[in-house]
Amino acid sequence: MAKPILVLKFGTASITTPKGELDEIVIGEIARQVAMIHKDYNLVIVSSGAVAAGKKFLKNYGGTLNEKKAAASIGNPLLLNTYAKYFSPHGIAIAQSLCERHHFSNRDQFLQLKRTYEELWNSDIIPIANENDVVSNLELKFSDNDELATLIAAGFGASQVLFSTSVPGVLDSSGLVIPELDTSDKKVLLLANKEKSASGLGGMTSKLNFARLANQMGIRVVIFGIRTEDGILRALVGKTGTLCLPQKSTLPARKKWLASGSLVRGRIQIDSGACKALQKRHSLLAVGIKAVLNDFENGEIIEILDEENNVVAVAKSKIDSATLNNDTKVKNLEVAHADNIVLL
């Protein structure tokens, strides 16, 4: 039987010192603990920290977009070399995987990425993924590496995602770790501190949002503190951090990709009748469209919103928005086939 897939995500705040430099003690601990579970999992490490590693080399660094891209181009090899330095004594080789959003929105490219990872796993090599910050477009970039980790996990069929943080887990109003969360209730998002870390893009809101998405795909998620002793090993068995409970999911791999890895281009709003039809696994017809909120082309991915502006599904469109606007009331005009609709 193939090994289960485990995605480990380390944010900038998790692997840097208070001065913003790479914390080699933490990275050494990551390597030690990962080496102990390496034989049991196909592992993907999603690691931030490239900008933090490279920014000190730039004169008068001010944090502009171009400066961040330049810092990432300096910091990526430094980050990978640091991981390699600490994994090497354990006999583990690593590989760099710089990802862009279109690698996930194009299914052929996504499948090639998956085959590449599988080839690395066949040789017991661990891919370390990060966004390709040097060339990523502001409009098409990942929101943060929490999203990248979730897209990899959902698209590849991972059993678990571990999100490391600079705190011990999701905290309640008294500052105590909440051991278990049912993320099917959107109220869990209110538990997040709205502040992100000074060094990274994400924060607890991001982690909870993407934990919810992963849980919807049947993936177990643990949010834990990297500086907890044996944090990775203990999070893996639910003995530290906050466990976000997976929901039952029978979605095939293609629909998981559609729901989580696709690049949404258009948005439409539908009426209550169309909502009920989707719940019964029917196709989406033009007669049920109330408004086109963002234009799209034939074959692009669209978000489907209800009358209260809640996203209820994503779908691959059969027509473009111009045709839809012109022919809204055409009888039986199909906007998206049931096989290409995923309810959220």
Side-chain angles (χ1 to χ4, degrees):
M1 184 177 292
K3 296 178 184 178
I5 296 170
L6 172 63
V7 178
L8 305 170
K9 188 269 176 176
F10 303 106
T12 301
S14 297
I15 61 169
T16 56
T17 67
K19 293 183 179 180
E21 299 176 344
L22 291 179
D23 191 330
E24 296 198 23
I25 294 176
V26 170
I27 293 177
E29 265 299 291
I30 290 171
R32 180 187 70 81
Q33 294 178 59
V34 169
M36 295 176 69
I37 60 174
H38 183 222
K39 67 179 185 300
D40 299 320
Y41 293 92
N42 287 328
L43 290 150
V44 182
I45 292 175
V46 178
S47 180
S48 306
V51 174
K55 65 183 181 182
K56 65 182 179 181
F57 295 94
L58 294 176
K59 297 177 181 178
N60 303 316
Y61 179 82
T64 67
L65 179 61
N66 287 337
E67 286 173 329
K68 287 180 180 179
K69 288 179 178 294
S73 69
I74 301 165
N76 264 318
L78 296 176
L79 179 65
L80 266 289
N81 285 340
T82 305
Y83 274 110
K85 173 183 175 182
Y86 288 98
F87 272 103
S88 180
H90 301 286
I92 298 174
I94 61 168
Q96 185 175 50
S97 174
L98 293 178
C99 299
E100 298 171 44
R101 191 68 184 267
H102 67 83
H103 297 151
F104 290 82
S105 63
N106 181 301
R107 182 138 176 92
D108 289 338
Q109 289 187 338
F110 168 76
L111 291 174
Q112 181 57 64
L113 177 67
K114 186 176 181 180
R115 287 191 290 267
T116 300
Y117 277 28
E118 289 169 347
E119 194 62 43
L120 292 170
W121 291 331
N122 286 338
S123 297
D124 296 322
I125 297 168
I126 299 175
I128 297 185
N130 193 5
E131 180 161 24
N132 191 349
D133 291 307
V134 178
V135 299
S136 59
N137 182 293
L138 185 62
E139 293 182 353
L140 302 182
K141 75 189 309 300
F142 300 106
S143 58
D144 53 46
N145 273 342
D146 296 328
E147 181 181 18
L148 174 57
T150 303
L151 298 188
I152 289 173
F156 288 17
S159 59
Q160 294 192 68
V161 180
L162 304 186
F163 287 125
S164 81
T165 72
S166 55
V167 293
V170 182
L171 307 179
D172 63 17
S173 58
S174 301
L176 300 176
V177 174
I178 302 170
E180 193 173 284
L181 283 177
D182 178 3
T183 61
S184 63
D185 186 347
K186 289 186 178 181
K187 291 181 180 178
V188 299
L189 299 179
L190 300 176
L191 295 168
N193 185 327
K194 302 303 180 187
E195 295 180 1
K196 64 182 180 62
S197 69
S199 51
L201 286 175
M204 194 57 74
T205 300
S206 171
K207 287 171 181 59
L208 287 173
N209 266 311
F210 288 110
R212 289 190 75 238
L213 177 58
N215 289 162
Q216 287 173 346
M217 304 297 165
I219 301 169
R220 182 180 187 271
V221 175
V222 180
I223 301 171
F224 74 103
I226 188 59
R227 289 175 172 80
T228 302
E229 185 177 357
D230 288 334
I232 297 171
L233 302 176
R234 294 176 65 195
L236 197 57
V237 293
K239 291 185 177 180
T240 190
T242 301
L243 168 63
C244 300
L245 297 168
Q247 301 166 34
K248 290 184 179 180
S249 174
T250 57
L251 289 177
R254 184 177 177 280
K255 284 202 170 185
K256 285 186 177 181
W257 163 80
L258 184 64
S260 64
S262 304
L263 183 58
V264 172
R265 292 291 192 181
R267 297 167 73 240
I268 59 175
Q269 185 179 53
I270 61 175
D271 60 28
S272 59
C275 272
K276 291 177 182 177
L278 293 189
Q279 294 295 331
K280 294 178 181 178
R281 307 296 180 181
H282 295 320
S283 297
L284 177 62
L285 302 182
V287 69
I289 308 299
K290 290 192 67 176
V292 175
L293 305 177
N294 294 97
D295 291 337
F296 54 90
E297 298 296 326
N298 182 2
E300 290 187 331
I301 308 303
I302 56 175
E303 280 186 337
I304 302 172
L305 285 69
D306 64 15
E307 292 178 317
E308 285 73 46
N309 290 318
N310 299 308
V311 179
V312 295
V314 293
K316 185 177 181 180
S317 61
K318 284 190 68 175
I319 61 175
D320 58 48
S321 55
T323 301
L324 180 57
N325 281 325
N326 290 332
D327 300 327
T328 303
K329 302 305 178 184
V330 172
K331 188 175 181 179
N332 296 329
L333 176 61
E334 198 169 72
V335 179
H337 190 274
D339 290 344
N340 289 323
I341 300 173
V342 180
L343 300 177
L344 300 178

PDB file of all heavy atoms in Angstrom, residues 158-170:
ATOM      1  N   ALA A 158      -3.696  14.185   0.428  1.00  0.00           N
ATOM      2  CA  ALA A 158      -2.988  14.017   1.694  1.00  0.00           C
ATOM      3  C   ALA A 158      -3.948  13.597   2.799  1.00  0.00           C
ATOM      4  O   ALA A 158      -5.130  13.937   2.778  1.00  0.00           O
ATOM      5  CB  ALA A 158      -2.282  15.318   2.083  1.00  0.00           C
ATOM      6  N   SER A 159      -3.412  12.868   3.766  1.00  0.00           N
ATOM      7  CA  SER A 159      -4.222  12.460   4.908  1.00  0.00           C
ATOM      8  C   SER A 159      -4.227  13.527   5.993  1.00  0.00           C
ATOM      9  O   SER A 159      -5.209  13.660   6.731  1.00  0.00           O
ATOM     10  CB  SER A 159      -3.701  11.143   5.488  1.00  0.00           C
ATOM     11  OG  SER A 159      -2.343  11.270   5.895  1.00  0.00           O
ATOM     12  N   GLN A 160      -3.116  14.283   6.083  1.00  0.00           N
ATOM     13  CA  GLN A 160      -3.003  15.284   7.136  1.00  0.00           C
ATOM     14  C   GLN A 160      -2.218  16.500   6.658  1.00  0.00           C
ATOM     15  O   GLN A 160      -1.345  16.391   5.794  1.00  0.00           O
ATOM     16  CB  GLN A 160      -2.256  14.727   8.358  1.00  0.00           C
ATOM     17  CG  GLN A 160      -2.949  13.633   9.105  1.00  0.00           C
ATOM     18  CD  GLN A 160      -2.277  13.357  10.446  1.00  0.00           C
ATOM     19  OE1 GLN A 160      -2.313  14.189  11.347  1.00  0.00           O
ATOM     20  NE2 GLN A 160      -1.681  12.189  10.579  1.00  0.00           N
ATOM     21  N   VAL A 161      -2.545  17.644   7.261  1.00  0.00           N
ATOM     22  CA  VAL A 161      -1.742  18.858   7.120  1.00  0.00           C
ATOM     23  C   VAL A 161      -1.421  19.350   8.523  1.00  0.00           C
ATOM     24  O   VAL A 161      -2.313  19.440   9.377  1.00  0.00           O
ATOM     25  CB  VAL A 161      -2.490  19.976   6.365  1.00  0.00           C
ATOM     26  CG1 VAL A 161      -1.610  21.220   6.252  1.00  0.00           C
ATOM     27  CG2 VAL A 161      -2.918  19.524   4.990  1.00  0.00           C
ATOM     28  N   LEU A 162      -0.157  19.648   8.772  1.00  0.00           N
ATOM     29  CA  LEU A 162       0.252  20.250  10.028  1.00  0.00           C
ATOM     30  C   LEU A 162       0.689  21.674   9.760  1.00  0.00           C
ATOM     31  O   LEU A 162       1.631  21.911   9.007  1.00  0.00           O
ATOM     32  CB  LEU A 162       1.411  19.464  10.671  1.00  0.00           C
ATOM     33  CG  LEU A 162       1.196  17.967  10.930  1.00  0.00           C
ATOM     34  CD1 LEU A 162       2.389  17.402  11.702  1.00  0.00           C
ATOM     35  CD2 LEU A 162      -0.099  17.697  11.683  1.00  0.00           C
ATOM     36  N   PHE A 163      -0.030  22.634  10.354  1.00  0.00           N
ATOM     37  CA  PHE A 163       0.331  24.048  10.246  1.00  0.00           C
ATOM     38  C   PHE A 163       1.110  24.439  11.494  1.00  0.00           C
ATOM     39  O   PHE A 163       0.566  24.428  12.602  1.00  0.00           O
ATOM     40  CB  PHE A 163      -0.925  24.932  10.173  1.00  0.00           C
ATOM     41  CG  PHE A 163      -1.668  24.886   8.878  1.00  0.00           C
ATOM     42  CD1 PHE A 163      -3.020  24.578   8.848  1.00  0.00           C
ATOM     43  CD2 PHE A 163      -1.035  25.180   7.681  1.00  0.00           C
ATOM     44  CE1 PHE A 163      -3.723  24.563   7.659  1.00  0.00           C
ATOM     45  CE2 PHE A 163      -1.732  25.170   6.483  1.00  0.00           C
ATOM     46  CZ  PHE A 163      -3.071  24.853   6.468  1.00  0.00           C
ATOM     47  N   SER A 164       2.369  24.810  11.340  1.00  0.00           N
ATOM     48  CA  SER A 164       3.124  25.268  12.501  1.00  0.00           C
ATOM     49  C   SER A 164       2.925  26.767  12.690  1.00  0.00           C
ATOM     50  O   SER A 164       2.741  27.505  11.730  1.00  0.00           O
ATOM     51  CB  SER A 164       4.609  24.954  12.339  1.00  0.00           C
ATOM     52  OG  SER A 164       5.246  25.919  11.540  1.00  0.00           O
ATOM     53  N   THR A 165       2.959  27.192  13.936  1.00  0.00           N
ATOM     54  CA  THR A 165       2.793  28.610  14.257  1.00  0.00           C
ATOM     55  C   THR A 165       3.811  28.999  15.324  1.00  0.00           C
ATOM     56  O   THR A 165       4.536  28.160  15.854  1.00  0.00           O
ATOM     57  CB  THR A 165       1.374  28.904  14.806  1.00  0.00           C
ATOM     58  OG1 THR A 165       1.269  28.365  16.119  1.00  0.00           O
ATOM     59  CG2 THR A 165       0.307  28.307  13.923  1.00  0.00           C
ATOM     60  N   SER A 166       3.819  30.278  15.637  1.00  0.00           N
ATOM     61  CA  SER A 166       4.694  30.772  16.696  1.00  0.00           C
ATOM     62  C   SER A 166       4.013  30.703  18.055  1.00  0.00           C
ATOM     63  O   SER A 166       4.597  31.074  19.072  1.00  0.00           O
ATOM     64  CB  SER A 166       5.127  32.211  16.397  1.00  0.00           C
ATOM     65  OG  SER A 166       3.995  33.040  16.190  1.00  0.00           O
ATOM     66  N   VAL A 167       2.743  30.234  18.081  1.00  0.00           N
ATOM     67  CA  VAL A 167       2.012  30.037  19.340  1.00  0.00           C
ATOM     68  C   VAL A 167       1.647  28.555  19.433  1.00  0.00           C
ATOM     69  O   VAL A 167       1.734  27.827  18.445  1.00  0.00           O
ATOM     70  CB  VAL A 167       0.745  30.919  19.400  1.00  0.00           C
ATOM     71  CG1 VAL A 167       1.130  32.384  19.477  1.00  0.00           C
ATOM     72  CG2 VAL A 167      -0.172  30.675  18.206  1.00  0.00           C
ATOM     73  N   PRO A 168       1.230  28.067  20.625  1.00  0.00           N
ATOM     74  CA  PRO A 168       1.040  26.621  20.805  1.00  0.00           C
ATOM     75  C   PRO A 168      -0.151  26.013  20.075  1.00  0.00           C
ATOM     76  O   PRO A 168      -0.291  24.795  20.030  1.00  0.00           O
ATOM     77  CB  PRO A 168       0.873  26.477  22.332  1.00  0.00           C
ATOM     78  CG  PRO A 168       1.432  27.717  22.921  1.00  0.00           C
ATOM     79  CD  PRO A 168       1.168  28.785  21.914  1.00  0.00           C
ATOM     80  N   GLY A 169      -1.041  26.841  19.523  1.00  0.00           N
ATOM     81  CA  GLY A 169      -2.226  26.347  18.844  1.00  0.00           C
ATOM     82  C   GLY A 169      -3.252  27.455  18.759  1.00  0.00           C
ATOM     83  O   GLY A 169      -2.914  28.639  18.915  1.00  0.00           O
ATOM     84  N   VAL A 170      -4.507  27.106  18.515  1.00  0.00           N
ATOM     85  CA  VAL A 170      -5.584  28.099  18.528  1.00  0.00           C
ATOM     86  C   VAL A 170      -5.949  28.362  19.988  1.00  0.00           C
ATOM     87  O   VAL A 170      -6.226  27.426  20.745  1.00  0.00           O
ATOM     88  CB  VAL A 170      -6.817  27.605  17.746  1.00  0.00           C
ATOM     89  CG1 VAL A 170      -7.905  28.675  17.747  1.00  0.00           C
ATOM     90  CG2 VAL A 170      -6.436  27.240  16.317  1.00  0.00           C
TER      91      VAL A 170
END
